[in-house]
Amino acid sequence: MDFLRSTSDAASQSLSSELSYSEFSSIESKSEDPLAQLAKEVKQQPFTTNKSLRNSLERRQRALQQDQTQDQYLVFTSVPPAQSSRLSDDGSRTSKYCRFFYNVETGILIAKVMPNPAHELAIRSFDELISAELRTMNVHRDVRPVGSTTFTVGDWKKEADCSWAPASAIARPSFVVEVGLSESARQLSLDAYGWLVTYSSSVKLVITININRKDPEIILHRWELVPRGYGVLTRSSLSACRTAFLELSRTNNTTSVTGESYMNGTTTTTTQLDLLFDKIVGRPPHQPLERDFVIPGQELRTFAEDIWSAQSFL
């Protein structure tokens, strides 16, 4: 897959922190789980008290808002299970601006801090794009939005920014979306990889959305499981790969969408985001209205411009 070995020259120049193919290969070759790897790459803090942990999260949010740091991730060790549950509770103040991943065996807690309203807008807007497609195909009762519900994936209790699950298996999401800063591209990719390859995971498809804070630029990646080779297809015989890349950018008051997609053994240029029906709904399309999900270029441009307005670029 030559496409997976490189991104466009424009993206490489404009997004210096973008994950390269060689970096992705190093992720795949690790024997440990991707979230444990993510935790090792971030400075770890020992848990002391609930107040201290919450203060750390609030300080990081302020630092991100004031552009004093670009690091969205915090890692705490020896966190009691009850503390993790309180943080993830929908009524918790921290749950409004953080997503948590908690390892029940090691007590490691990873927190992803969302720095500003643009991130929340990206989550809501993408949710609306998927909801519109579900209704267009009249399958909105077959797939349910489950938001940032906490799911158990392997040894981790994990929250996505937004997610969907077949109505027949509401506790087993098939499709998740993760949003982050462009500077956190590697961590976000590890996050996507963790959703796909961790044992007991039901996720078949992940979209990551990297938002540049300094320029009007958004990078979308599609990640999914693809066969490693020939033979009987089981989860262990599948590999997580980045199969599409889209760059949304704006120059001279014009918003453009450029990208590449790898599907069915073919790499093509594209200006739209295609998502396989069966990986979201959990079955092949069989009714007249049913087809693969398509987010066209115009919808992506509107999506980007709404986010850039929230960032004061427009």
Side-chain angles (χ1 to χ4, degrees):
M1 299 182 188
D2 292 339
F3 159 66
L4 296 176
R5 287 174 167 76
S6 64
T7 55
S8 68
D9 291 340
S12 298
Q13 293 168 2
S14 59
L15 192 59
S16 60
S17 62
E18 183 58 43
L19 187 72
S20 69
Y21 178 80
S22 60
E23 286 175 315
F24 180 78
S25 296
S26 71
I27 294 170
E28 187 175 18
S29 65
K30 297 289 185 181
S31 59
E32 65 181 338
D33 74 85
L35 292 179
Q37 186 176 341
L38 190 161
K40 284 187 175 181
E41 294 181 4
V42 177
K43 182 180 179 181
Q44 299 185 358
Q45 308 176 42
F47 172 80
T48 53
T49 65
N50 173 59
K51 182 178 180 180
S52 175
L53 189 152
R54 291 177 184 272
N55 286 342
S56 293
L57 296 173
E58 290 172 3
R59 283 196 300 271
R60 180 56 57 88
Q61 186 194 34
R62 287 195 299 271
L64 285 162
Q65 290 172 340
Q66 296 167 9
D67 207 19
Q68 296 173 351
T69 183
Q70 289 79 43
D71 189 358
Q72 289 183 264
Y73 290 83
L74 288 167
V75 175
F76 301 89
T77 58
S78 304
V79 178
Q83 177 62 39
S84 168
S85 298
R86 283 195 292 270
L87 287 168
S88 297
D89 187 282
D90 286 342
S92 166
R93 183 175 62 185
T94 53
S95 72
K96 307 302 181 187
Y97 65 89
C98 291
R99 297 289 181 264
F100 296 103
F101 322 143
Y102 179 68
N103 190 299
V104 296
E105 295 295 324
T106 64
I108 289 177
L109 177 75
I110 302 173
K112 184 179 77 172
V113 182
M114 294 186 292
N116 54 48
H119 284 67
E120 188 61 38
L121 178 60
I123 294 165
R124 292 199 309 270
S125 297
F126 199 89
D127 192 321
E128 290 170 1
L129 290 173
I130 297 301
S131 294
E133 279 289 88
L134 290 169
R135 290 189 173 277
T136 296
M137 290 184 276
N138 198 31
V139 292
H140 54 284
R141 290 188 176 89
D142 297 340
V143 179
R144 301 292 171 83
V146 286
S148 57
T149 299
T150 301
F151 295 103
T152 298
V153 181
D155 292 332
W156 293 88
K157 292 186 179 296
K158 197 171 184 320
E159 299 173 333
D161 282 321
C162 53
S163 54
W164 293 262
S168 59
I170 202 69
R172 294 183 59 78
S174 56
F175 174 38
V176 304
V177 174
E178 296 287 1
V179 180
L181 295 174
S182 58
E183 293 86 353
S184 300
R186 176 173 170 79
Q187 287 91 343
L188 209 63
S189 298
L190 281 165
D191 194 356
Y193 194 69
W195 277 113
L196 290 167
V197 304
T198 304
Y199 74 90
S200 84
S201 176
S202 56
V203 174
K204 304 293 192 301
L205 183 66
V206 180
I207 296 295
T208 56
I209 303 172
N210 296 97
I211 300 173
N212 192 317
R213 291 201 298 179
K214 300 185 183 301
D215 297 294
E217 179 188 73
I218 299 169
I219 303 293
L220 284 79
H221 283 142
R222 183 183 68 213
W223 304 80
E224 53 194 313
L225 292 171
V226 299
R228 293 179 185 273
Y230 298 101
V232 178
L233 288 184
T234 63
R235 200 168 191 94
S236 62
S237 68
L238 299 173
S239 175
C241 284
R242 181 179 57 194
T243 58
F245 163 90
L246 285 164
E247 179 186 23
L248 318 179
S249 60
R250 187 173 178 86
T251 55
N252 299 324
N253 296 320
T254 301
T255 299
S256 62
V257 181
T258 58
E260 290 184 335
S261 175
Y262 180 90
M263 294 187 75
N264 301 320
T266 302
T267 300
T268 58
T269 59
T270 186
T271 58
Q272 65 185 34
L273 179 62
D274 299 292
L275 306 170
L276 291 177
F277 181 94
D278 63 310
K279 292 195 174 184
I280 298 176
V281 183
R283 60 169 175 79
H286 55 71
Q287 296 297 331
L289 293 176
E290 296 177 359
R291 51 167 173 73
D292 289 339
F293 290 60
V294 178
I295 312 298
Q298 182 55 53
E299 294 286 352
L300 291 172
R301 283 190 285 272
T302 300
F303 168 79
E305 288 168 1
D306 287 345
I307 294 170
W308 295 332
S309 292
Q311 292 181 287
S312 300
F313 287 134
L314 300 182

